[in-house]
Amino acid sequence: MGEKSRRRSFERAVLVLTAFAVSGAVMAQEPEEAAREAVDRDLYNVQRETTGERYRDARIPFGQILSAPDDIQLNIDYARQQIAGGDLKEAGATLERILLLNPTLYDVRVLYGLVLYRLGLYDRARYELELALESGELPGPLAAEAETYLKRIRYEQRPTRGALTITTGVDYETNRNQSPSSGQVLFTLPNPFVPGQFVTTNLNANPKVDDFAFVLSAQGRLQHDLGTQEGSLLHADVGYYHSDKMEVDTLDLDAATLALGGTWFSGNWSVTPRARGGFYWLDGEDYLATYGGEVEVAYRWNPRFTTYGNVRGEHEDFRGTSNFAAADERTGRRMSGRLGAVWRLTTNQKLTVEGLYADKNGETDYESYNRYGAYAQHSWLLGRGAFSLIGVWAENSSYDGPDNFITPLITRDEWLYRGRFTIGAPISFFAPGLPEAVKDINLIAQYEYETVDSNILNFDYKTHKAAFLISKRIAF
Protein backbone atom coordinates (compact mmCIF):
# COMPACT_ATOMS: atom_id res chain seq x y z
CA MET A 1 0.00 0.00 0.00
CA GLY A 2 2.84 2.34 0.80
CA GLU A 3 4.36 1.68 -2.61
CA LYS A 4 1.10 2.80 -4.24
CA SER A 5 1.27 6.10 -2.36
CA ARG A 6 4.84 6.60 -3.48
CA ARG A 7 3.72 5.93 -7.04
CA ARG A 8 0.95 8.54 -6.80
CA SER A 9 3.57 11.24 -6.17
CA PHE A 10 5.91 9.78 -8.77
CA GLU A 11 3.19 9.90 -11.43
CA ARG A 12 3.31 13.69 -11.31
CA ALA A 13 6.66 13.45 -13.07
CA VAL A 14 4.85 11.64 -15.89
CA LEU A 15 2.31 14.46 -16.26
CA VAL A 16 4.99 17.15 -16.25
CA LEU A 17 7.01 15.26 -18.85
CA THR A 18 3.92 14.73 -21.02
CA ALA A 19 2.98 18.41 -20.75
CA PHE A 20 6.50 19.24 -21.88
CA ALA A 21 6.05 17.14 -25.01
CA VAL A 22 2.59 18.64 -25.66
CA SER A 23 4.15 22.11 -25.73
CA GLY A 24 6.02 21.14 -28.87
CA ALA A 25 9.47 20.49 -27.46
CA VAL A 26 9.97 24.02 -26.22
CA MET A 27 13.66 23.41 -25.54
CA ALA A 28 14.14 22.97 -29.28
CA GLN A 29 11.59 25.16 -31.02
CA GLU A 30 11.74 28.49 -29.18
CA PRO A 31 15.55 28.72 -29.30
CA GLU A 32 15.51 27.88 -33.02
CA GLU A 33 13.01 30.69 -33.67
CA ALA A 34 15.18 33.09 -31.67
CA ALA A 35 18.22 32.00 -33.67
CA ARG A 36 16.49 32.80 -36.98
CA GLU A 37 15.43 36.22 -35.71
CA ALA A 38 18.97 36.86 -34.48
CA VAL A 39 20.31 36.27 -37.98
CA ASP A 40 17.68 38.63 -39.42
CA ARG A 41 18.89 41.42 -37.14
CA ASP A 42 22.58 41.04 -37.92
CA LEU A 43 22.51 42.97 -41.19
CA TYR A 44 22.07 46.15 -39.17
CA ASN A 45 25.43 45.47 -37.52
CA VAL A 46 27.05 44.86 -40.91
CA GLN A 47 25.67 48.17 -42.08
CA ARG A 48 27.14 49.96 -39.10
CA GLU A 49 30.54 48.49 -39.85
CA THR A 50 30.51 49.58 -43.49
CA THR A 51 29.53 53.20 -42.94
CA GLY A 52 30.43 55.67 -40.19
CA GLU A 53 27.77 56.86 -37.73
CA ARG A 54 28.35 60.42 -36.74
CA TYR A 55 25.08 60.48 -34.82
CA ARG A 56 25.24 57.02 -33.21
CA ASP A 57 24.88 58.28 -29.65
CA ALA A 58 22.65 61.28 -30.34
CA ARG A 59 18.91 61.44 -30.82
CA ILE A 60 18.23 63.15 -34.14
CA PRO A 61 15.08 65.34 -34.08
CA PHE A 62 12.94 65.53 -37.20
CA GLY A 63 13.44 69.29 -37.27
CA GLN A 64 17.13 68.72 -37.91
CA ILE A 65 16.25 66.63 -40.98
CA LEU A 66 13.97 69.39 -42.27
CA SER A 67 16.75 71.93 -41.88
CA ALA A 68 19.28 69.75 -43.74
CA PRO A 69 17.36 67.60 -46.26
CA ASP A 70 20.43 67.21 -48.49
CA ASP A 71 22.74 65.97 -45.71
CA ILE A 72 22.94 62.35 -46.81
CA GLN A 73 24.87 61.04 -43.81
CA LEU A 74 22.46 62.72 -41.40
CA ASN A 75 19.53 61.14 -43.23
CA ILE A 76 21.21 57.71 -43.17
CA ASP A 77 21.68 57.95 -39.42
CA TYR A 78 18.10 59.14 -39.05
CA ALA A 79 16.88 56.08 -40.99
CA ARG A 80 18.89 53.82 -38.67
CA GLN A 81 17.31 55.60 -35.73
CA GLN A 82 13.87 54.87 -37.17
CA ILE A 83 14.79 51.21 -37.67
CA ALA A 84 16.00 50.99 -34.09
CA GLY A 85 12.64 52.36 -32.98
CA GLY A 86 10.72 49.82 -35.05
CA ASP A 87 9.41 52.46 -37.49
CA LEU A 88 10.17 50.45 -40.62
CA LYS A 89 7.71 52.22 -42.94
CA GLU A 90 9.14 55.61 -42.03
CA ALA A 91 12.69 54.29 -42.35
CA GLY A 92 11.86 52.99 -45.82
CA ALA A 93 10.61 56.43 -46.87
CA THR A 94 13.80 58.05 -45.54
CA LEU A 95 16.05 55.57 -47.37
CA GLU A 96 14.06 56.02 -50.58
CA ARG A 97 14.60 59.78 -50.34
CA ILE A 98 18.35 59.25 -49.86
CA LEU A 99 18.55 57.08 -52.97
CA LEU A 100 16.77 59.75 -54.99
CA LEU A 101 19.53 62.15 -53.97
CA ASN A 102 22.32 59.65 -54.71
CA PRO A 103 21.38 56.40 -56.50
CA THR A 104 24.98 55.11 -56.28
CA LEU A 105 24.89 54.54 -52.50
CA TYR A 106 24.64 50.77 -52.89
CA ASP A 107 25.19 50.01 -49.20
CA VAL A 108 22.15 52.17 -48.47
CA ARG A 109 20.27 50.32 -51.20
CA VAL A 110 20.98 47.03 -49.40
CA LEU A 111 19.65 48.48 -46.15
CA TYR A 112 16.57 49.68 -48.04
CA GLY A 113 16.12 46.19 -49.47
CA LEU A 114 16.29 44.70 -45.97
CA VAL A 115 13.66 47.11 -44.67
CA LEU A 116 11.39 46.18 -47.58
CA TYR A 117 12.00 42.51 -46.77
CA ARG A 118 11.00 43.05 -43.15
CA LEU A 119 7.84 44.79 -44.37
CA GLY A 120 6.98 41.80 -46.54
CA LEU A 121 7.41 43.73 -49.82
CA TYR A 122 9.40 40.96 -51.43
CA ASP A 123 9.28 42.08 -55.11
CA ARG A 124 10.62 45.53 -54.31
CA ALA A 125 13.19 44.14 -51.88
CA ARG A 126 14.42 41.70 -54.51
CA TYR A 127 14.78 44.50 -57.07
CA GLU A 128 16.84 46.69 -54.70
CA LEU A 129 19.14 43.88 -53.60
CA GLU A 130 19.76 42.67 -57.15
CA LEU A 131 20.54 46.22 -58.27
CA ALA A 132 23.04 46.63 -55.43
CA LEU A 133 24.77 43.32 -56.22
CA GLU A 134 24.96 44.09 -59.96
CA SER A 135 26.92 47.24 -59.16
CA GLY A 136 29.92 45.19 -57.99
CA GLU A 137 30.72 47.88 -55.41
CA LEU A 138 29.54 46.20 -52.22
CA PRO A 139 32.07 45.14 -49.56
CA GLY A 140 32.41 41.37 -49.28
CA PRO A 141 30.43 40.86 -46.04
CA LEU A 142 27.62 43.11 -47.24
CA ALA A 143 27.43 41.36 -50.61
CA ALA A 144 27.20 38.00 -48.83
CA GLU A 145 24.34 39.30 -46.67
CA ALA A 146 22.53 40.63 -49.75
CA GLU A 147 22.84 37.19 -51.39
CA THR A 148 21.50 35.55 -48.23
CA TYR A 149 18.42 37.74 -48.23
CA LEU A 150 17.83 37.21 -51.94
CA LYS A 151 17.68 33.47 -51.25
CA ARG A 152 15.20 34.08 -48.44
CA ILE A 153 13.03 36.26 -50.67
CA ARG A 154 12.92 33.57 -53.36
CA TYR A 155 11.91 31.09 -50.66
CA GLU A 156 9.24 33.37 -49.18
CA GLN A 157 7.74 34.06 -52.61
CA ARG A 158 7.02 30.38 -53.22
CA PRO A 159 3.28 29.76 -52.66
CA THR A 160 3.98 26.44 -50.90
CA ARG A 161 7.01 26.04 -48.66
CA GLY A 162 8.12 24.11 -45.63
CA ALA A 163 10.78 23.77 -42.98
CA LEU A 164 12.04 20.99 -40.76
CA THR A 165 13.90 21.64 -37.49
CA ILE A 166 15.87 18.73 -36.06
CA THR A 167 17.26 18.98 -32.54
CA THR A 168 19.24 16.46 -30.54
CA GLY A 169 21.28 16.49 -27.37
CA VAL A 170 21.38 15.48 -23.73
CA ASP A 171 19.62 16.73 -20.62
CA TYR A 172 20.28 16.20 -16.93
CA GLU A 173 17.92 16.48 -13.96
CA THR A 174 18.74 16.29 -10.25
CA ASN A 175 15.32 14.92 -9.24
CA ARG A 176 13.97 13.05 -12.23
CA ASN A 177 11.32 11.18 -10.24
CA GLN A 178 10.25 14.37 -8.40
CA SER A 179 10.78 12.85 -4.98
CA PRO A 180 9.18 14.98 -2.22
CA SER A 181 11.44 17.54 -0.55
CA SER A 182 10.45 16.21 2.90
CA GLY A 183 11.57 12.70 2.02
CA GLN A 184 8.13 11.40 3.05
CA VAL A 185 4.71 10.66 1.56
CA LEU A 186 1.27 10.45 3.11
CA PHE A 187 -0.98 7.42 2.76
CA THR A 188 -4.30 6.44 4.28
CA LEU A 189 -5.83 3.08 5.26
CA PRO A 190 -9.30 2.19 6.61
CA ASN A 191 -9.35 1.94 10.41
CA PRO A 192 -9.96 -1.80 11.11
CA PHE A 193 -11.40 -1.00 14.53
CA VAL A 194 -13.76 1.87 13.59
CA PRO A 195 -15.77 1.31 10.39
CA GLY A 196 -16.00 4.38 8.15
CA GLN A 197 -12.87 6.00 9.59
CA PHE A 198 -9.36 6.14 8.16
CA VAL A 199 -5.83 6.25 9.53
CA THR A 200 -3.31 8.53 7.83
CA THR A 201 0.41 8.06 8.35
CA ASN A 202 3.76 8.86 6.75
CA LEU A 203 6.11 6.67 4.74
CA ASN A 204 9.64 7.23 3.53
CA ALA A 205 9.53 8.42 -0.08
CA ASN A 206 11.58 6.89 -2.84
CA PRO A 207 14.97 8.66 -2.91
CA LYS A 208 15.74 11.33 -5.49
CA VAL A 209 17.16 10.02 -8.74
CA ASP A 210 19.48 12.24 -10.75
CA ASP A 211 19.45 11.18 -14.36
CA PHE A 212 20.75 11.90 -17.85
CA ALA A 213 18.61 11.52 -20.97
CA PHE A 214 19.17 11.52 -24.70
CA VAL A 215 16.60 13.75 -26.46
CA LEU A 216 15.61 14.03 -30.10
CA SER A 217 13.05 16.38 -31.58
CA ALA A 218 11.78 16.93 -35.12
CA GLN A 219 9.40 19.81 -35.82
CA GLY A 220 8.06 20.36 -39.33
CA ARG A 221 5.80 22.95 -40.93
CA LEU A 222 4.25 23.08 -44.38
CA GLN A 223 2.38 26.22 -45.39
CA HIS A 224 0.55 27.43 -48.48
CA ASP A 225 -0.04 31.08 -49.35
CA LEU A 226 -3.67 31.66 -50.31
CA GLY A 227 -2.71 34.51 -52.62
CA THR A 228 -4.55 37.23 -50.74
CA GLN A 229 -3.14 40.72 -50.47
CA GLU A 230 -2.98 40.38 -46.68
CA GLY A 231 -0.90 37.17 -46.84
CA SER A 232 -3.40 34.67 -45.41
CA LEU A 233 -2.20 31.07 -45.44
CA LEU A 234 -2.91 27.45 -44.58
CA HIS A 235 -0.43 25.45 -42.51
CA ALA A 236 0.24 22.00 -41.14
CA ASP A 237 2.56 21.33 -38.21
CA VAL A 238 3.92 17.91 -37.27
CA GLY A 239 6.20 17.04 -34.40
CA TYR A 240 8.03 14.12 -32.88
CA TYR A 241 9.78 14.07 -29.50
CA HIS A 242 11.84 11.27 -27.95
CA SER A 243 13.43 11.18 -24.48
CA ASP A 244 15.43 8.13 -23.44
CA LYS A 245 16.36 8.17 -19.75
CA MET A 246 19.50 6.48 -18.47
CA GLU A 247 18.11 5.56 -15.02
CA VAL A 248 14.33 6.11 -14.80
CA ASP A 249 13.22 4.03 -17.79
CA THR A 250 9.57 4.26 -16.75
CA LEU A 251 9.70 7.91 -17.89
CA ASP A 252 11.04 7.16 -21.37
CA LEU A 253 8.74 9.18 -23.62
CA ASP A 254 7.81 9.25 -27.30
CA ALA A 255 5.32 11.80 -28.58
CA ALA A 256 3.85 12.56 -32.01
CA THR A 257 1.69 15.64 -32.63
CA LEU A 258 -0.23 17.09 -35.56
CA ALA A 259 -1.94 20.47 -36.03
CA LEU A 260 -3.87 21.59 -39.13
CA GLY A 261 -5.13 25.12 -39.58
CA GLY A 262 -4.71 28.48 -41.18
CA THR A 263 -4.09 32.16 -40.45
CA TRP A 264 -6.28 34.86 -41.91
CA PHE A 265 -5.26 38.54 -41.81
CA SER A 266 -7.49 41.60 -41.98
CA GLY A 267 -5.81 44.91 -41.31
CA ASN A 268 -4.11 44.67 -37.93
CA TRP A 269 -6.12 41.57 -36.97
CA SER A 270 -5.21 37.93 -37.46
CA VAL A 271 -7.24 34.80 -36.68
CA THR A 272 -5.68 31.33 -36.46
CA PRO A 273 -7.93 28.27 -35.97
CA ARG A 274 -6.31 24.83 -35.63
CA ALA A 275 -7.38 21.22 -35.21
CA ARG A 276 -4.92 19.29 -33.03
CA GLY A 277 -4.10 15.72 -32.10
CA GLY A 278 -1.35 13.89 -30.26
CA PHE A 279 -0.19 10.39 -29.30
CA TYR A 280 2.15 9.60 -26.40
CA TRP A 281 3.97 6.42 -25.41
CA LEU A 282 5.55 5.83 -22.01
CA ASP A 283 8.34 3.27 -21.83
CA GLY A 284 7.08 1.89 -25.12
CA GLU A 285 3.44 1.53 -23.97
CA ASP A 286 0.44 3.45 -25.27
CA TYR A 287 -0.24 6.11 -22.61
CA LEU A 288 -2.23 9.07 -23.94
CA ALA A 289 -4.14 10.27 -27.01
CA THR A 290 -5.43 13.83 -27.33
CA TYR A 291 -7.65 15.50 -29.90
CA GLY A 292 -9.28 18.90 -30.04
CA GLY A 293 -8.76 22.38 -31.41
CA GLU A 294 -7.96 25.99 -30.67
CA VAL A 295 -8.49 29.51 -31.98
CA GLU A 296 -6.01 32.36 -31.54
CA VAL A 297 -6.81 36.00 -32.28
CA ALA A 298 -4.08 38.66 -32.38
CA TYR A 299 -4.13 42.43 -32.83
CA ARG A 300 -1.05 44.42 -33.86
CA TRP A 301 -1.40 47.86 -32.29
CA ASN A 302 1.85 49.15 -33.77
CA PRO A 303 5.19 47.67 -34.94
CA ARG A 304 6.26 47.28 -31.32
CA PHE A 305 3.19 45.99 -29.53
CA THR A 306 0.87 43.04 -30.23
CA THR A 307 -1.79 41.45 -28.03
CA TYR A 308 -3.36 38.02 -28.45
CA GLY A 309 -5.90 35.64 -26.98
CA ASN A 310 -6.14 31.87 -27.34
CA VAL A 311 -8.92 29.39 -26.47
CA ARG A 312 -8.16 25.67 -26.60
CA GLY A 313 -10.25 22.59 -25.92
CA GLU A 314 -9.32 18.94 -26.15
CA HIS A 315 -10.18 15.50 -24.90
CA GLU A 316 -7.39 13.64 -23.12
CA ASP A 317 -7.71 9.86 -23.30
CA PHE A 318 -5.28 8.28 -20.82
CA ARG A 319 -4.57 4.55 -20.88
CA GLY A 320 -3.29 2.53 -17.95
CA THR A 321 0.18 1.03 -18.38
CA SER A 322 2.12 -1.63 -16.51
CA ASN A 323 3.81 1.11 -14.46
CA PHE A 324 0.84 3.50 -14.14
CA ALA A 325 -2.26 1.34 -13.99
CA ALA A 326 -4.55 4.14 -12.71
CA ALA A 327 -3.66 6.61 -15.46
CA ASP A 328 -7.13 6.26 -17.02
CA GLU A 329 -8.57 8.18 -14.05
CA ARG A 330 -7.19 11.32 -15.71
CA THR A 331 -9.26 10.83 -18.86
CA GLY A 332 -11.55 13.77 -19.64
CA ARG A 333 -11.83 17.13 -21.33
CA ARG A 334 -9.45 20.02 -20.75
CA MET A 335 -10.28 23.65 -21.59
CA SER A 336 -7.76 26.47 -21.43
CA GLY A 337 -7.43 30.13 -22.29
CA ARG A 338 -4.45 32.46 -22.64
CA LEU A 339 -4.17 36.24 -22.91
CA GLY A 340 -0.84 37.80 -23.70
CA ALA A 341 1.14 40.68 -25.15
CA VAL A 342 4.42 40.97 -27.02
CA TRP A 343 6.54 44.11 -26.70
CA ARG A 344 9.47 44.71 -29.02
CA LEU A 345 11.51 46.79 -26.59
CA THR A 346 14.29 47.45 -29.12
CA THR A 347 15.35 45.95 -32.43
CA ASN A 348 17.10 43.15 -30.53
CA GLN A 349 14.99 42.71 -27.38
CA LYS A 350 11.46 41.39 -26.96
CA LEU A 351 9.26 40.79 -23.92
CA THR A 352 6.31 38.38 -23.88
CA VAL A 353 3.85 38.37 -20.96
CA GLU A 354 0.98 35.90 -20.71
CA GLY A 355 -1.79 34.90 -18.33
CA LEU A 356 -3.47 31.51 -18.44
CA TYR A 357 -6.46 29.62 -17.11
CA ALA A 358 -7.27 25.91 -17.48
CA ASP A 359 -10.09 23.65 -16.34
CA LYS A 360 -9.59 19.88 -16.33
CA ASN A 361 -12.49 17.47 -15.79
CA GLY A 362 -11.06 14.00 -15.09
CA GLU A 363 -12.93 10.87 -14.11
CA THR A 364 -12.35 11.55 -10.41
CA ASP A 365 -12.36 14.73 -8.35
CA TYR A 366 -8.72 14.29 -7.38
CA GLU A 367 -7.75 14.24 -11.06
CA SER A 368 -9.87 17.34 -11.87
CA TYR A 369 -8.58 20.86 -11.28
CA ASN A 370 -8.71 24.57 -12.03
CA ARG A 371 -5.40 26.20 -12.89
CA TYR A 372 -4.33 29.80 -13.36
CA GLY A 373 -0.95 31.36 -13.76
CA ALA A 374 1.35 33.79 -15.51
CA TYR A 375 4.39 33.56 -17.77
CA ALA A 376 6.99 36.08 -18.93
CA GLN A 377 9.93 35.70 -21.29
CA HIS A 378 12.65 38.12 -22.36
CA SER A 379 14.39 37.47 -25.68
CA TRP A 380 17.69 39.16 -26.45
CA LEU A 381 19.50 38.98 -29.79
CA LEU A 382 23.16 39.37 -28.93
CA GLY A 383 24.66 39.73 -32.40
CA ARG A 384 26.26 37.40 -34.96
CA GLY A 385 23.34 35.02 -34.57
CA ALA A 386 23.69 34.58 -30.79
CA PHE A 387 20.66 34.93 -28.52
CA SER A 388 19.41 34.46 -24.98
CA LEU A 389 15.99 33.63 -23.52
CA ILE A 390 14.97 34.17 -19.89
CA GLY A 391 11.57 32.81 -18.86
CA VAL A 392 9.67 32.60 -15.57
CA TRP A 393 6.41 30.78 -14.75
CA ALA A 394 4.02 30.72 -11.79
CA GLU A 395 0.94 28.46 -11.77
CA ASN A 396 -1.64 27.56 -9.13
CA SER A 397 -3.58 24.28 -9.36
CA SER A 398 -6.63 23.71 -7.16
CA TYR A 399 -8.11 20.21 -7.31
CA ASP A 400 -11.82 19.45 -6.97
CA GLY A 401 -11.62 16.87 -4.21
CA PRO A 402 -9.31 14.83 -1.98
CA ASP A 403 -7.61 11.58 -2.90
CA ASN A 404 -8.81 9.31 -0.10
CA PHE A 405 -5.89 6.98 -0.57
CA ILE A 406 -3.43 9.80 0.27
CA THR A 407 -5.57 11.72 2.77
CA PRO A 408 -9.34 12.32 2.88
CA LEU A 409 -8.83 15.47 4.95
CA ILE A 410 -6.93 17.67 2.48
CA THR A 411 -7.82 18.69 -1.07
CA ARG A 412 -4.68 19.26 -3.08
CA ASP A 413 -3.69 22.87 -3.79
CA GLU A 414 -0.26 23.90 -5.02
CA TRP A 415 1.92 26.49 -6.70
CA LEU A 416 4.47 25.64 -9.36
CA TYR A 417 7.37 28.04 -9.97
CA ARG A 418 9.84 27.67 -12.81
CA GLY A 419 12.73 29.73 -14.15
CA ARG A 420 14.62 28.94 -17.34
CA PHE A 421 17.70 30.49 -18.98
CA THR A 422 18.69 29.60 -22.54
CA ILE A 423 21.66 30.82 -24.53
CA GLY A 424 22.62 29.80 -28.04
CA ALA A 425 24.65 30.67 -31.09
CA PRO A 426 25.35 29.24 -34.54
CA ILE A 427 28.59 27.37 -35.11
CA SER A 428 29.71 30.29 -37.30
CA PHE A 429 29.78 32.45 -34.17
CA PHE A 430 32.77 30.40 -32.96
CA ALA A 431 34.25 29.44 -36.34
CA PRO A 432 33.55 31.98 -39.12
CA GLY A 433 34.00 30.90 -42.71
CA LEU A 434 32.40 27.48 -42.44
CA PRO A 435 30.48 26.01 -45.39
CA GLU A 436 26.91 27.18 -45.87
CA ALA A 437 25.48 23.75 -44.99
CA VAL A 438 26.87 23.75 -41.43
CA LYS A 439 27.42 27.35 -40.40
CA ASP A 440 23.80 27.80 -39.28
CA ILE A 441 23.75 24.77 -36.97
CA ASN A 442 22.87 26.14 -33.55
CA LEU A 443 24.47 25.19 -30.25
CA ILE A 444 22.03 25.68 -27.36
CA ALA A 445 22.61 25.47 -23.60
CA GLN A 446 19.79 25.62 -21.09
CA TYR A 447 19.33 25.68 -17.31
CA GLU A 448 16.02 25.36 -15.48
CA TYR A 449 14.92 25.41 -11.86
CA GLU A 450 11.50 24.10 -10.86
CA THR A 451 9.81 23.88 -7.50
CA VAL A 452 6.31 22.99 -6.34
CA ASP A 453 4.86 24.28 -3.06
CA SER A 454 1.98 21.91 -2.26
CA ASN A 455 -0.28 21.53 0.77
CA ILE A 456 0.28 17.75 0.47
CA LEU A 457 3.88 16.74 1.04
CA ASN A 458 3.69 13.97 -1.60
CA PHE A 459 3.72 16.62 -4.34
CA ASP A 460 6.17 19.11 -2.81
CA TYR A 461 9.52 18.92 -4.64
CA LYS A 462 12.47 20.81 -6.16
CA THR A 463 14.60 19.97 -9.16
CA HIS A 464 17.37 21.43 -11.31
CA LYS A 465 17.64 20.72 -15.03
CA ALA A 466 20.33 21.35 -17.63
CA ALA A 467 20.51 20.58 -21.32
CA PHE A 468 22.92 20.91 -24.23
CA LEU A 469 21.31 20.75 -27.67
CA ILE A 470 22.35 20.92 -31.32
CA SER A 471 19.73 22.22 -33.73
CA LYS A 472 19.49 22.53 -37.51
CA ARG A 473 16.71 24.02 -39.64
CA ILE A 474 16.20 22.80 -43.19
CA ALA A 475 13.95 24.81 -45.51
CA PHE A 476 12.27 23.25 -48.52
Side-chain angles (χ1 to χ4, degrees), residues 170-183:
V170 295
D171 72 33
Y172 171 77
E173 186 169 353
T174 61
N175 187 10
R176 181 77 73 185
N177 58 334
Q178 297 180 355
S179 179
S181 301
S182 65

Side-chain angles (χ1 to χ4, degrees), residues 8 20 41 45 77 82 126 134 143 194 233 241 274 309-310 335 349 371 379 403 405 409 431 442 461 469 475:
R8 283 277 195 210
F20 173 81
R41 297 295 184 187
N45 295 329
D77 291 323
Q82 290 172 311
R126 182 173 181 172
E134 289 170 1
V194 183
L233 49 88
Y241 177 76
R274 292 188 189 93
N310 178 289
M335 300 293 296
Q349 294 188 64
R371 176 174 295 160
S379 307
D403 184 343
F405 186 80
L409 303 177
N442 290 296
Y461 72 92
L469 306 170

Side-chain angles (χ1 to χ4, degrees), residues 152-231:
R152 293 186 184 184
I153 290 170
R154 295 185 187 108
Y155 173 77
E156 294 291 344
Q157 287 185 314
R158 292 165 50 188
T160 303
R161 55 193 183 273
L164 175 66
T165 299
I166 300 175
T167 304
T168 188
V170 295
D171 72 33
Y172 171 77
E173 186 169 353
T174 61
N175 187 10
R176 181 77 73 185
N177 58 334
Q178 297 180 355
S179 179
S181 301
S182 65
Q184 295 185 318
V185 293
L186 292 175
F187 80 100
T188 297
L189 293 172
N191 189 332
F193 304 107
V194 183
Q197 291 190 3
F198 297 85
V199 176
T200 300
T201 187
N202 290 6
L203 277 179
N204 291 328
N206 290 323
K208 295 179 181 179
V209 178
D210 62 319
D211 194 8
F212 284 92
F214 166 76
V215 294
L216 173 66
S217 170
Q219 304 289 323
R221 163 168 277 218
L222 184 66
Q223 63 184 47
H224 177 73
D225 194 325
L226 294 174
T228 64
Q229 185 175 358
E230 295 85 1

